[in-house]
Amino acid sequence: MKTLAPKSSSLTNMYWLVKREFWENRGGFLWAPVITGGVFLLLNLMGIITAEVLGARHGIHFGASGELSNVMSRMDAGDMSKVGMVLDVAMYSSMALITVVLGFVVFFYCLGALYDDRRDRSILFWKSLPISDTGTVLSKVLSATVLAPAIAVVVGLVAGMAQLLMVAITLSFHGVNVWQLLMQAHPFRVMGNLLGYIPVYVLWALPSAGWLLLCSAWARSKPFLWAVALPVATGLLITWFGIMGLFNLPSTWFWKEIVLRGLFSVFPGGSFTANTGSGHALVINDGNGLDVMNLGQSWAAMTTANLWIGVAVGIGLIAAAIWFRRWRDDS
């Protein structure tokens, strides 16, 4: 039992450190996706009401006399599979705005995570506690790459289910059987795909999170300027060298793999380019129609050297951030 005490203590410390990050940043971690999901649902509700009002105004009555219900009754298994695909897309669509907001939240959180502690001198308090710099930095990595996307996925799933119910209830007013319609959706598949993508996101986001945390720990002022200007300026210099014929440097590779990957890997979805170099929207799923964000396709990034090289670079950058956090003195 004595040998387990240090490990248990470390896990307990990590739990409270991550919890501290949540309470100090719950505006970005929690309320940003909640508000975004609410805005998404409000816009969709406004769109549905607008369509109904304009349809009534111009004498267009969708599904009059049970037409939609009759159409669904004549559908075969293939047609119903396509209906299920549309319903799944309706659930996934709620994540579109939320993932964009999540990317910005994680980007600016990492950029200020260590710099803000030094700026407001709260670092003196935290260093007085029996908490290692390694634990502090790793808690911020976990908060950015695990906690924030997990909350965003939960909020997205709730918004997606609400979106699905809105569509079903609207169609029920046009003669469609709500339960018959909802049975074609695959909410558990959608949930599994979104939750299953989080481990891939954690690994893919490491180089960007590591770079931003390094700038946050190292920069004496204006970490945003250093984080963005340094790689962009280097990319412009390499491109200029190529135009002038001074050096044959791979400027396209630098812009894609260093600048874009280093700055924007915290935005979800980038790992879909690991295999083909271009993202995908819809994937064939065992002949059962189209499945968005198929879990097997998401995890295929795990087999690429691109992802694991990024992981190695990210770990190195995080280690450097820990070192600077330990020795940086702005006094």
Side-chain angles (χ1 to χ4, degrees):
M1 293 299 292
K2 290 183 179 179
T3 58
L4 296 178
K7 182 177 180 180
S8 176
S9 177
S10 298
L11 292 176
T12 301
N13 287 342
M14 186 59 64
Y15 168 78
W16 285 108
L17 285 171
V18 173
K19 190 171 184 179
R20 166 222 172 187
E21 295 300 321
F22 170 74
W23 284 111
E24 289 191 353
N25 300 274
R26 60 185 179 275
F29 287 168
L30 176 62
W31 294 116
V34 167
I35 292 172
T36 303
V39 169
F40 171 83
L41 292 175
L42 178 61
L43 291 175
N44 278 273
L45 180 61
M46 291 170 62
I48 291 173
I49 293 174
T50 300
E52 294 289 336
V53 171
L54 292 180
R57 183 178 299 171
H58 296 284
I60 302 174
H61 302 286
F62 300 100
S65 301
E67 290 178 4
L68 287 178
S69 180
N70 292 333
V71 169
M72 288 193 64
S73 65
R74 293 193 296 268
M75 287 183 175
D76 57 21
D79 294 330
M80 295 304 290
S81 177
K82 293 178 181 178
V83 172
M85 177 203 69
V86 173
L87 296 177
D88 291 350
V89 170
M91 286 188 285
Y92 280 119
S93 63
S94 64
M95 287 299 300
L97 285 176
I98 292 177
T99 53
V100 174
V101 172
L102 172 65
F104 282 106
V105 167
V106 174
F107 184 96
F108 287 103
Y109 166 76
C110 290
L111 201 55
L114 300 173
Y115 173 76
D116 290 345
D117 284 349
R118 289 185 290 116
R119 183 183 59 181
D120 60 20
R121 300 295 182 182
S122 62
I123 189 173
L124 301 176
F125 168 75
W126 294 109
K127 281 184 173 290
S128 68
L129 299 177
I131 301 172
S132 67
D133 295 289
T134 300
T136 299
V137 174
L138 290 182
S139 71
K140 296 178 186 296
V141 174
L142 288 175
S143 298
T145 61
V146 179
L147 180 63
I151 294 173
V153 165
V154 172
V155 173
L157 287 172
V158 172
M161 294 298 294
Q163 165 77 353
L164 182 61
L165 288 175
M166 284 170 53
V167 172
I169 292 172
T170 301
L171 292 177
S172 70
F173 291 121
H174 298 281
V176 177
N177 187 313
V178 174
W179 297 113
Q180 181 185 7
L181 184 67
L182 292 178
M183 287 297 292
Q184 307 309 314
H186 309 91
F188 292 106
R189 178 196 298 173
V190 172
M191 184 184 306
N193 286 344
L194 290 175
L195 291 174
Y197 178 69
I198 293 178
V200 182
Y201 172 79
V202 172
L203 297 176
W204 186 260
L206 277 182
S208 184
W211 169 248
L212 296 172
L213 285 169
L214 174 59
C215 292
S216 183
W218 167 74
R220 293 186 181 276
S221 64
K222 301 177 178 62
F224 176 84
L225 184 61
W226 285 106
V228 175
L230 190 59
V232 170
T234 304
L236 291 173
L237 190 61
I238 291 175
T239 302
W240 180 76
F241 281 151
I243 294 174
M244 299 302 294
L246 299 176
F247 301 101
N248 187 22
L249 298 175
S251 60
T252 301
W253 175 88
F254 185 89
W255 281 105
K256 179 182 177 182
E257 300 297 340
I258 302 299
V259 179
L260 292 180
R261 182 77 188 279
L263 292 177
F264 301 113
S265 292
V266 292
F267 286 82
S271 60
F272 294 136
T273 66
N275 280 320
T276 62
S278 60
H280 75 277
L282 300 174
V283 184
I284 299 295
N285 181 40
D286 301 329
N288 296 323
L290 293 172
D291 181 24
V292 183
M293 242 186 86
N294 177 273
L295 188 57
Q297 183 75 7
S298 301
W299 277 69
M302 295 281 201
T303 64
T304 64
N306 191 343
L307 181 140
W308 292 109
I309 291 173
V311 169
V313 172
I315 291 174
L317 293 171
I318 291 170
I322 293 171
W323 189 90
F324 276 108
R325 206 264 182 181
R326 180 177 295 124
W327 300 110
R328 176 58 106 187
D329 183 6
D330 292 343
S331 59

